Amino acid sequence: MTIAVPCYNEAGFVEACVRTIFAQTYPADRMEILVADGLSDDGTREILARLSEADARLRVLDSKERLQAPGMNRMIREARGEIVVRMDVHCEYAPNYVEACVDVLERTGADNVGGAQRPRHKTRFQRALCAALESPLGVGGAAYRSASKEGFVDTVFLGAFRREVFDRVGLYDPNAVTNEDAELNQRLINAGGRIYLSREIEVYYYPRSGFRALSRQYFRYGYGRARTLLKHRRFLSWRSALPFSAVAGAAVLVIVPGLRRAAPLAFGAYAVLTACEAARVGLRHGLGTVPLTWAIFPVLHVSHGAGFAVGLVRYGAIPDWPQSGETNRSGSGETSGSTA
């Protein structure tokens, strides 16, 4: 069993994460812990060195690219386990997280399993954002966002993989700045693999804490998903393109003279729809959450839609993956070697 954790400049979070891994209920003598560090310069490496001295299961690998996909690839090549469990620093894990991943893999026969992306909050803004992320209007009905879902899906949060999956479909795409998980899972499904979402696998994360950070995050999400669409020429689910469709439609209403009269009606309908939904999900967190949740919805939609549009232009003009006739299993010029 290999735990794989990519990180870069995470001095404030990495020790808590690693100690959570140390405390997992899975047998300690059957688990190795790899951390791919992007040459951090904020004290992260010193913390990891101290932790690795205390527990020999922890090994730190250099990842000069400082991106999650190349870091994961480095760890997969070094992995000695038959199962690779991806874990991220900014999350909190149930004590039986790893054990549950292994149990679900064995029970379902899936190639990749994971739990829902359960949000938690510390600040008022995060509380409102958690409310928005509970709504289909905020997340587009993605199954991996729901803690109540169970069954085979198109992608999961993080993931626990059978090691042979990477020999079969290739590693993470090293050029994927975001959306690397969904891109890999799309290749896995295209190759006949199966992905399972389980309520038994519990992981929690803290979302962004302000409008600017949230906008940047969702712009990057849209940008990465446009790249995935152009690379594979299809989506497993078109929900990722819905924000772009809405933003493009709004732009058409504003730009085309003959349609401008309809713009106030369309924008008014959107405002009413998001206000009603903000009230529905926000009231569970307190009356004061509703206005902030209402303001968050357009940030999610516009940022994602704009990022998707920029990504279509960027990668439509200059693709950064091998073209027809030179594509390998990863579609990125990189394949995995056997390290299991």
Side-chain angles (χ1 to χ4, degrees):
M1 156 68 61
T2 299
I3 307 298
V5 186
C7 84
Y8 172 64
N9 280 353
E10 298 288 1
F13 300 92
V14 69
E15 181 162 0
C17 175
V18 171
R19 292 198 179 280
T20 297
I21 299 171
F22 287 166
Q24 288 290 303
T25 58
Y26 193 79
D29 60 349
R30 297 171 56 190
M31 183 169 67
E32 69 170 346
I33 305 164
L34 303 181
V35 176
D37 177 67
L39 306 180
S40 296
D41 57 10
D42 69 338
T44 296
R45 295 178 71 84
E46 290 75 12
I47 294 171
L48 289 171
R50 173 167 49 82
L51 292 170
S52 64
E53 289 179 1
D55 194 318
R57 292 176 298 166
L58 174 61
R59 286 195 292 146
V60 181
L61 309 175
D62 290 340
S63 178
K64 63 181 180 180
E65 295 87 353
R66 298 181 177 178
L67 296 174
Q68 290 185 336
M72 285 300 302
N73 291 345
R74 175 74 196 279
M75 290 184 286
I76 292 166
R77 292 193 194 95
E78 296 282 340
R80 294 190 289 258
E82 294 181 359
I83 295 172
V84 177
V85 180
R86 173 173 177 168
M87 298 175 76
D88 279 0
V89 172
H90 282 262
C91 296
E92 293 181 0
Y93 302 89
N96 70 336
Y97 178 82
V98 174
E99 186 175 356
C101 287
V102 175
D103 289 345
V104 174
L105 274 171
E106 293 177 349
R107 172 170 58 84
T108 64
D111 300 282
N112 179 20
V113 302
Q117 190 179 39
R118 295 170 165 92
R120 278 184 171 172
H121 59 81
K122 292 182 178 178
T123 68
R124 178 171 173 264
F125 182 88
Q126 287 177 327
R127 182 168 63 247
L129 180 51
C130 286
L133 295 177
E134 293 173 5
S135 166
L137 198 60
V139 300
Y144 76 91
R145 296 278 193 171
S146 172
S148 65
K149 299 288 187 180
E150 178 91 18
F152 289 99
V153 293
D154 56 12
T155 193
V156 289
F157 182 49
L158 303 179
F161 301 83
R162 299 181 187 276
R163 175 62 183 78
E164 59 86 17
V165 164
F166 302 105
D167 297 319
R168 179 154 43 99
V169 305
L171 298 173
Y172 285 84
D173 184 337
N175 293 326
V177 177
T178 60
N179 205 48
E180 72 281 355
D181 291 321
E183 195 278 332
L184 173 62
N185 285 326
Q186 184 163 345
R187 278 189 277 126
L188 176 57
I189 289 177
N190 289 344
R194 298 190 302 166
I195 301 167
Y196 195 87
L197 175 70
S198 174
R199 292 189 293 267
E200 299 174 12
I201 301 172
E202 293 186 32
V203 54
Y204 302 86
Y205 84 107
Y206 290 95
R208 296 298 190 269
S209 57
F211 281 111
R212 177 176 294 183
L214 179 64
S215 178
R216 291 178 60 187
Q217 178 188 32
Y218 271 75
F219 183 93
R220 287 164 62 85
Y221 282 172
Y223 189 81
R225 283 167 180 162
R227 180 183 183 276
T228 299
L229 171 62
L230 292 173
K231 178 180 177 180
H232 294 285
R233 300 181 183 179
R234 73 183 186 97
F235 274 140
L236 293 177
S237 171
W238 280 95
R239 65 175 177 267
S240 296
L242 291 177
F244 167 71
S245 300
V247 170
V252 169
L253 289 176
V254 171
I255 294 171
V256 178
L259 298 177
R260 287 176 183 167
R261 292 182 179 180
L265 180 62
F267 293 148
Y270 176 83
V272 171
L273 174 64
T274 52
C276 291
E277 186 65 357
R280 186 183 74 84
V281 297
L283 285 174
R284 303 172 189 170
H285 299 267
L287 182 61
T289 302
V290 175
L292 194 52
T293 302
W294 188 21
I296 284 172
F297 278 130
V299 174
L300 297 176
H301 300 152
V302 173
S303 299
H304 191 289
F308 195 94
V310 173
L312 287 178
V313 174
R314 158 66 177 86
Y315 293 111
I318 309 176
D320 65 351
W321 55 87
Q323 299 304 294
S324 178
E326 55 185 29
T327 301
N328 59 28
R329 289 174 301 163
S330 70
S332 60
E334 182 172 358
T335 56
S336 64
S338 178
T339 61

